[in-house]
Amino acid sequence: MFNHRYALRETGQNLRRNWLLAFATIITVGVSLAMFGSFRLFQIAVDSATERWKDGIEFVVWMNPDVSPTEDQAILNQLQESPGVANWVFVDQFEAYEEMKVFFADSPELVEEIVPEDLPPSYRVVPVDPDLDVVQELGQQFDGLPGVRDVVFAGDAIRDVQGLADRTGRVLFIGSIFLLCASTLLILNTLAIAITNRRQEIEIMGVVGATKWFIRVPFMLESLVQAGLGALLAIGSNLLLRAYVIDSFSDADAIRLLSGFRVDDGAMLSTNLLVLAIAGVVSLLGAAGAVTLYLDK
């Protein structure tokens, strides 16, 4: 019959005997999973931020919150008369407020401080020709007109953000893969040392009739504890990343361009669950390798 107390006691003793190597393993697992979590969270945030630029929208004409009907009509007439404009979508202050409530669902205190009248309405413009030079020339026709607050181009900002996110994501993803491989080898090495140190005891247990699983479980639990603690470090890193880096894009200078740069609670939960799952796989691979190479001989 399997003895849970024995397995837990032996797991604790193994960790204490090789605490320095176990500590290094936990840190390596944590760093690798934190890099993977950062990669995924930034991809989610960028996808959310670029949502408003879908369907061919290449630039946004932001109007002043207090734009007069005459000024607004002048911009509308120019959009209608311009041969370079294929289509446009007008977002009024109430729609901008509703959009902001979605973007900042995790920051209700920010939403409470703003009323629809504080937000600028906008025209989101789809040009006939998406060429960057043509789009900029078209958008500059609206820049500086009465009632216009700013003109923001997708080519100037969103593509740069997407490019930077893609490059950063590749570095984080590749780095996390290498470190996860190193973590697996560290777990294997830690268990190999534990098995070697207890070789005589293990042989005696086999002679008196202990099953293979009775002998294996403490080492497998040791692997699981190391990977699990590393995953908890990574989850803490993910929470800090969202709180102090990703959410900081809601400052005044970035709010019009990247107001959707966020990670909601659902995406955060799925990322952390994925981190735990990867930690379980790393634990399983490390333990399987150690048991196969050093225990089942």
Side-chain angles (χ1 to χ4, degrees):
M1 183 177 179
F2 181 71
N3 191 320
H4 295 83
R5 290 185 178 179
Y6 165 79
L8 293 174
R9 184 179 69 250
E10 291 301 310
T11 298
Q13 288 180 355
N14 288 341
L15 290 171
R16 285 194 297 272
R17 290 190 187 108
N18 303 298
W19 70 268
L20 191 58
L21 188 55
F23 179 75
T25 302
I26 292 169
I27 294 299
T28 305
V29 172
V31 171
S32 60
L33 291 175
M35 291 179 68
F36 176 82
S38 299
F39 152 73
R40 191 167 190 271
L41 292 177
F42 268 110
Q43 290 297 319
I44 292 171
V46 170
D47 289 343
S48 176
T50 56
E51 179 69 17
R52 70 171 48 161
W53 300 95
K54 65 181 181 180
D55 300 328
I57 292 173
E58 290 289 343
F59 68 91
V60 178
V61 180
W62 294 95
M63 310 298 291
N64 292 320
D66 57 350
V67 60
S68 69
T70 302
E71 293 171 336
D72 185 63
Q73 186 61 47
I75 298 301
L76 180 58
N77 290 340
Q78 184 160 339
L79 285 169
Q80 292 174 332
E81 296 169 2
S82 175
V85 175
N87 195 9
W88 73 89
V89 177
F90 178 69
V91 179
D92 61 24
Q93 290 174 301
F94 179 77
E95 290 172 323
Y97 181 72
E98 291 299 313
E99 186 179 68
M100 181 179 179
K101 287 198 297 185
V102 174
F103 285 159
F104 295 98
D106 298 327
S107 303
E109 66 283 354
L110 176 63
V111 177
E112 290 174 0
E113 295 177 358
I114 297 177
V115 295
E117 290 74 18
D118 294 330
L119 299 175
S122 62
Y123 289 95
R124 300 178 182 181
V125 183
V126 179
V128 174
D129 187 348
D131 180 77
L132 182 58
D133 293 333
V134 175
V135 171
Q136 288 183 329
E137 182 178 354
L138 180 62
Q140 287 168 359
Q141 297 176 14
F142 298 88
D143 195 16
L145 294 178
V148 175
R149 179 176 181 176
D150 196 8
V151 178
V152 178
F153 296 90
D156 285 348
I158 296 301
R159 289 169 186 164
D160 290 342
V161 170
Q162 289 176 322
L164 178 61
D166 289 342
R167 292 191 296 273
T168 303
R170 282 194 294 270
V171 171
L172 290 173
F173 182 74
I174 293 172
S176 67
I177 294 300
F178 277 111
L179 284 176
L180 283 172
C181 292
S183 301
T184 303
L185 293 175
L186 275 173
I187 289 175
L188 189 154
N189 190 44
T190 303
L191 297 186
I193 292 174
I195 292 170
T196 301
N197 290 339
R198 299 183 56 201
R199 173 64 63 186
Q200 185 175 4
E201 181 183 345
I202 291 171
E203 291 175 352
I204 294 174
M205 291 172 65
V207 170
V208 299
T211 64
K212 287 186 176 182
W213 278 109
F214 186 88
I215 298 172
R216 288 175 180 174
V217 166
F219 300 108
M220 298 179 70
L221 283 178
E222 181 182 353
S223 170
L224 186 61
V225 168
Q226 293 176 23
L229 291 175
L232 291 179
L233 288 177
I235 290 173
S237 173
N238 291 342
L239 294 172
L240 291 174
L241 178 68
R242 183 174 77 160
Y244 294 102
V245 178
I246 293 177
D247 287 353
S248 68
F249 280 85
S250 64
D251 60 58
D253 291 335
I255 190 170
R256 297 196 305 277
L257 180 60
L258 295 176
S259 57
F261 194 89
R262 66 187 183 92
V263 175
D264 60 29
D265 291 339
M268 194 73 190
L269 177 61
S270 66
T271 298
N272 288 336
L273 289 177
L274 184 56
V275 163
L276 287 172
I278 294 174
V281 172
V282 169
S283 168
L284 179 62
L285 291 175
V291 168
T292 301
L293 294 174
Y294 297 97
L295 194 57
D296 294 344
K297 293 196 298 184

